[in-house]
Amino acid sequence: MNDPNRPAQVLLVEDDLDDVTLMRESFKINRFKANLHHVENGLKCLDFLYKRNDYVDAPTPDLILLDLNMPVMDGRQVLENIEADDKLKHLRVVVLTTSTNEEDVLKMYKLRCSSYIVKPVDFHKFQKIVTKLTGYWFELVVLPPNGQ
Amino acid sequence: MTAQVTPVTSAPSASEGFKLSVHSLFKRSCGGIFILSSLVLVLGWVFKIGFFTYLVPGWPTMKPITAIGCMLLSAALYTSISPQKNKLSISLTLVLIFVSSATILDTLFSTRILTNDGLYSLPSDATAICLALSGWAVLSIHFKRYFISGLLAWSCLVLIIFRLMRLLLEGPQASYASIFDSMSIHTALFLGGLVVVGILLHPRLNYHRLILSPDALGVFARWGILLVLFLPTALITTVLRLAERQNANIESLLAISITLMSMFLVVVYYRILNEIKTREEAKHELISQLQTMMDVAPNGILLVDNNGVIQKTNPATNNLFGYNEGELLNSSIDILVPDNYRSVHSDHRNAYMLHPSEKKMAEGRNLVAKRKDGSLFDVEVSLAPMYLKGKQYIFTQVIDVSTRKALELKQQELNEQLSSSNAELQRFAYVASHDLRAPLRRISGFIQLIQSNYEGKLDTQADEWIDRSVENLERMQEMIDGLLRLSRISSEVEIYQPVSLQTIINEALELLSHQINKTKVHINVGLEFPDVMADKAQMLTLFENLISNAIKYGNSDAPEIHIAIHNQTSQKVVVMVRDNGIGISEQHLNDVFDIFKRLHSYQEYEGNGIGLAICKRIVEQHQGKIWCESTIRKGSTFFVELHKVQ
């Protein structure tokens, strides 16, 4: 299975710092040991993935948690970019958003996102989602080897 | 006689003036002359002054009784016109009647009541009869018997005219033949003059106005009078001449019968005149009513001939189009039509003239008319063909609808504004509730983090406050979720399909099974619910909310819910959901459907105050109705009216 010694690399693309803190805290509560990397918009996300500019030393993330509505470049454009690039399209992208817009849901799946999750208002529920999410991606499924 | 009639349009006022002038003429001169001359005659006889006993020098003298009678008649007539002298007039008339009656009796029975062989010798028969007739005529006026009075006066006049005709034919020395030509020429003239003046004085029995009037009545009266008065007179005179006075008795008989015939004709004539008069008056009244209607009508009314030439307009037409009175007459109707539409209009007009019918124009299109100053305005026009003297006219009505059009436009604008602001409001509610979720989610996250990380590490007060904050955040979340759901109902597209209410209700009960089992509520569901045109998901929400409410506010001891058809027509169905719970007080019956309206504290009954608002929105979205009846502590019934599948 996945290398237990190698910590999970999770990239959180999120413009709101509070949400980043809450995500970190829920990882902590879940005792999920992961390197949580954070970028605040789509453009920086692509930099991260292409390991350029500020992110030359960035690891390839095992899982990308992508918010949809962000300034500069939003999640939709990011997903379009990943989908269009052969080197990136194998990456697992989970859309994590407050948008319940049905059109968005369909569009994101058409862009081959791995999952679409609506952030619940209640923190307890959110925590449960994080538990399930990490359990699924880091315990259940098999990821490509060597952090690809 | 007809030649004197002047074709003036204001006939009533002209004859009014004529009547007034006769009035004053008689008062100032004629009356005096008649009274004076008869007084002179009487005095002449009393004091035996020979000269004064002649009316006309050279003619025979007038008999004293005749003179007295004439004096009484002129005085009675003179006083009859002023109401203050009514009693005097009546007294004089009575004396006149007495004198003439006594004279007639003396003549008939050779008595000597009044007359003698001396000074007061018998006057002629005709004179006595004429005096008596005049006396009764004046008396009838006082008792308002105008028809009788007229008949008597006109009979008297016929007798006198007859006598005068005979005198005219045979000269002043025409000899005595029957009682009808026994009257002397001066008496005939004097009495005749008096009677004519009397008739003119009393409008109710004078027919001169009638004879002079230019309308149909006047024409008939002018021709009729020839037949009624002159034919019998001419006839009797001719007969008498032919008979050559060989048999006075037969002559008298003939004269009497012809006179009676003449009187009969007068009656018939009068009746016919009266009938014509009534009809003429009705016609005039109608005409004046129609004229008034034309004058005051707020709509333009025009009469147009079949060449499109304006024949008549009303004041409103002139106001509407900005023309002076009469200015539009004899001009083409086309000048009221905008220039660019003129040729089409005249084609339309010609086509209409071929098959004229009552018609409302401007149905489904905008008709525009042109004012004198060239400005245009919206109109509605209705047409009706009319035939006058064999010629075809079009009766046209024009209504200025520019104000209405402007209002309609304004209303349309307002409606658009309203619906756009409604849409904006819905969008706002959606965005607000949607965007409020994010910060709320974060606050709630942090509070819950504090709760889980620091519980028991701070003091108990802090723990309690944290708990309360969490609770309030939960409620706020519910409210925002509710608001979001509510705003979504309005923004969803309305495509309705047949939905089985039976299925919906069963599904709603299924969804609520946990709640139902917990409260052990007894639910009674009716049968044969019809299918309705609706959105299935919204129907489910509607009944889920209604039933859930009924459970929540139900009777705590023996809760019962009754779901059934309240009533239905071929188009609609009213479903009711009844509970036996706490009920709603009357003042809150309408409030329950308001958003966030809660009638109980959160501690008593949990809820976000949005369930019934959502129900109402759903039902309104379906063009239905929702209402509630309730008795406090007995229970509430909610009614929902929906459209059935047709």
Side-chain angles (χ1 to χ4, degrees), chain A residues 14 16 18-19 21-22 25 29 69 98-101 118-124 127, chain B residues 430 434 437-438 440-446 448-449 451-453 474 477 481 484 488:
Chain A
E14 167 69 67
D16 191 276
D18 290 335
D19 277 346
T21 311
L22 289 171
E25 289 306 317
I29 291 167
N69 299 314
T98 49
S99 166
T100 50
N101 189 328
V118 178
K119 290 185 210 166
V121 177
D122 186 88
F123 186 70
H124 287 304
Q127 246 175 262
Chain B
Y430 176 79
H434 188 264
R437 279 162 66 104
L440 185 69
R441 184 167 45 77
R442 288 165 204 145
I443 297 168
S444 136
F446 288 118
Q448 284 178 20
L449 275 176
Q451 198 179 28
S452 54
N453 291 356
E474 277 169 4
Q477 276 164 25
D481 284 349
L484 199 58
R488 271 188 197 154

Side-chain angles (χ1 to χ4, degrees), chain B residues 65-233:
Chain B
I65 293 209
T66 310
I68 289 168
C70 286
M71 190 189 70
L72 286 168
L73 179 59
S74 38
L77 272 175
Y78 187 74
T79 48
S80 71
I81 51 166
S82 50
Q84 300 92 339
K85 294 174 185 158
N86 247 346
K87 280 181 185 159
L88 179 61
S89 178
I90 292 173
S91 315
L92 288 165
T93 311
L94 288 174
V95 175
L96 173 65
I97 290 168
F98 169 72
V99 170
S100 52
S101 308
T103 313
I104 290 169
L105 284 176
D106 286 355
T107 311
L108 286 177
F109 306 109
S110 304
T111 48
R112 286 290 184 267
I113 300 169
L114 193 72
T115 57
N116 54 31
D117 294 332
L119 186 60
Y120 300 104
S121 62
L122 270 177
S124 77
D125 316 332
T127 307
I129 288 170
C130 281
L131 282 173
L133 286 172
S134 320
W136 284 107
V138 178
L139 199 63
S140 306
I141 291 169
H142 286 297
F143 290 98
K144 298 188 171 27
R145 298 281 182 258
Y146 297 106
F147 175 65
I148 294 171
S149 175
L151 192 59
L152 293 169
W154 284 93
S155 306
C156 186
L157 204 58
V158 168
L159 276 177
I160 293 164
I161 290 169
F162 158 59
R163 176 59 186 150
L164 285 174
M165 295 262 305
R166 192 162 157 70
L167 285 166
L168 208 67
L169 289 168
E170 297 185 10
Q173 301 308 318
S175 55
Y176 178 90
S178 67
I179 52 163
F180 289 96
D181 46 19
S182 60
M183 197 190 282
S184 55
I185 181 165
H186 47 267
T187 313
L189 283 172
F190 197 93
L191 261 179
L194 258 179
V195 171
V196 167
V197 168
I199 285 170
L200 293 177
L201 267 179
H202 291 279
R204 293 295 294 266
L205 40 132
N206 76 49
Y207 299 130
H208 71 274
R209 277 215 292 180
L210 233 158
I211 289 163
L212 294 179
S213 83
D215 57 17
L217 186 63
V219 173
F220 184 83
R222 287 195 283 282
W223 287 102
I225 201 160
L226 289 176
L227 284 173
V228 172
L229 287 183
F230 295 98
L231 188 71
T233 317

Side-chain angles (χ1 to χ4, degrees), chain A residues 1-141:
Chain A
M1 298 297 276
N2 298 326
D3 184 355
N5 300 321
R6 184 182 172 270
Q9 304 293 331
V10 177
L11 174 62
L12 177 62
V13 191
E14 167 69 67
D15 61 315
D16 191 276
L17 291 177
D18 290 335
D19 277 346
V20 179
T21 311
L22 289 171
M23 182 62 84
R24 261 186 226 288
E25 289 306 317
S26 22
F27 274 18
K28 241 189 248 170
I29 291 167
N30 277 300
R31 301 175 204 289
F32 175 60
K33 295 220 165 30
N35 286 345
L36 183 66
H37 307 276
H38 164 241
V39 289
E40 68 260 28
N41 63 47
L43 206 59
K44 292 200 170 165
C45 170
L46 290 180
D47 284 349
F48 191 98
L49 296 180
Y50 288 119
K51 307 179 200 298
R52 61 193 184 197
N53 298 337
D54 296 342
Y55 303 99
V56 179
D57 298 326
T60 305
D62 296 316
L63 186 67
I64 303 168
L65 301 173
L66 182 66
D67 188 15
L68 280 188
N69 299 314
M70 287 176 298
V72 188
M73 184 191 275
D74 71 12
R76 297 167 193 85
Q77 288 164 297
V78 172
L79 206 57
E80 275 164 22
N81 256 293
I82 294 173
E83 158 69 13
D85 192 331
D86 259 357
K87 280 180 248 162
L88 299 182
K89 68 198 277 186
H90 67 286
L91 293 176
R92 283 69 57 193
V93 182
V94 170
V95 174
L96 196 59
T97 180
T98 49
S99 166
T100 50
N101 189 328
E102 285 167 16
E103 275 174 44
D104 273 345
V105 179
L106 185 65
K107 195 176 168 194
M108 295 306 114
Y109 277 116
K110 278 190 177 164
L111 289 171
R112 314 295 309 148
C113 80
S114 305
S115 307
Y116 189 108
I117 294 170
V118 178
K119 290 185 210 166
V121 177
D122 186 88
F123 186 70
H124 287 304
K125 283 182 193 156
F126 180 69
Q127 246 175 262
K128 277 181 193 156
I129 283 172
V130 172
T131 314
K132 281 180 187 168
L133 192 69
T134 51
Y136 178 81
W137 285 109
F138 296 101
E139 286 166 32
L140 184 63
V141 300

